[in-house]
Amino acid sequence: MKYLQVFVYGTLKPGEANYKSYCAEYLVDAFPATTNGLLYELPFGYPAMTRGDMNVHGFVLSFRNPEVLLDLDLLEDYHPERSQEENEYQRQKIDTFGLNGEYLCTVWSYLMLPEKVQLFGGKLLPSGFWTNH
């Protein structure tokens, strides 16, 4: 059976604010992973990731029910029929890697346009890690 997989790096990670409400009940598997990007701290208490060449650390979450994606889209203020500028995040397919650097899988994730990060006053997190607890 093929599961819906999503790379999360912020409030949807295990132990963070939105994990229990949006993920825990539907989760089949979760494992640490990295991806290529740039991670930013936003002043709203959550992060944003853009395309880039640094390591961003998070988790690949596997869900049995693909309908979870609709709830995540709402949380991330993403609607596929709106323009990129109208969405807060863009849902995109990205490659993920194990902690040893080996390719794992291509999954969904939510990225923010660099212009929006700048507008919101995002501060680069060179470590590639974000936590709010």
Side-chain angles (χ1 to χ4, degrees), residues 61-108:
L61 305 182
S62 299
F63 299 99
R64 184 174 291 111
N65 184 350
E67 298 292 311
V68 168
L69 208 51
L70 300 175
D71 291 336
L72 298 181
D73 284 352
L74 284 174
L75 175 68
E76 304 293 1
D77 191 26
Y78 169 77
H79 192 285
E81 294 177 17
R82 287 195 308 221
S83 72
Q84 286 191 338
E85 295 74 28
E86 290 177 286
N87 287 318
E88 185 166 353
Y89 289 88
Q90 314 301 314
R91 180 166 35 93
Q92 299 178 5
K93 289 278 192 166
I94 62 167
D95 292 338
T96 59
F97 305 89
L99 301 182
N100 62 0
E102 242 179 78
Y103 170 80
L104 291 175
C105 48
T106 300
V107 302
W108 288 114

Side-chain angles (χ1 to χ4, degrees), residues 7-10 13 33-41 47-49 53-59 99 123-131:
F7 177 80
V8 298
Y9 53 87
K13 292 189 308 185
T34 66
T35 192
N36 296 324
L38 297 173
L39 189 63
Y40 295 86
E41 172 79 42
M49 180 175 70
D53 57 4
M54 296 174 73
N55 277 342
V56 174
H57 298 266
F59 286 81
L99 301 182
K123 292 186 175 39
L124 182 66
L125 296 172
S127 68
F129 285 96
W130 179 91
T131 187

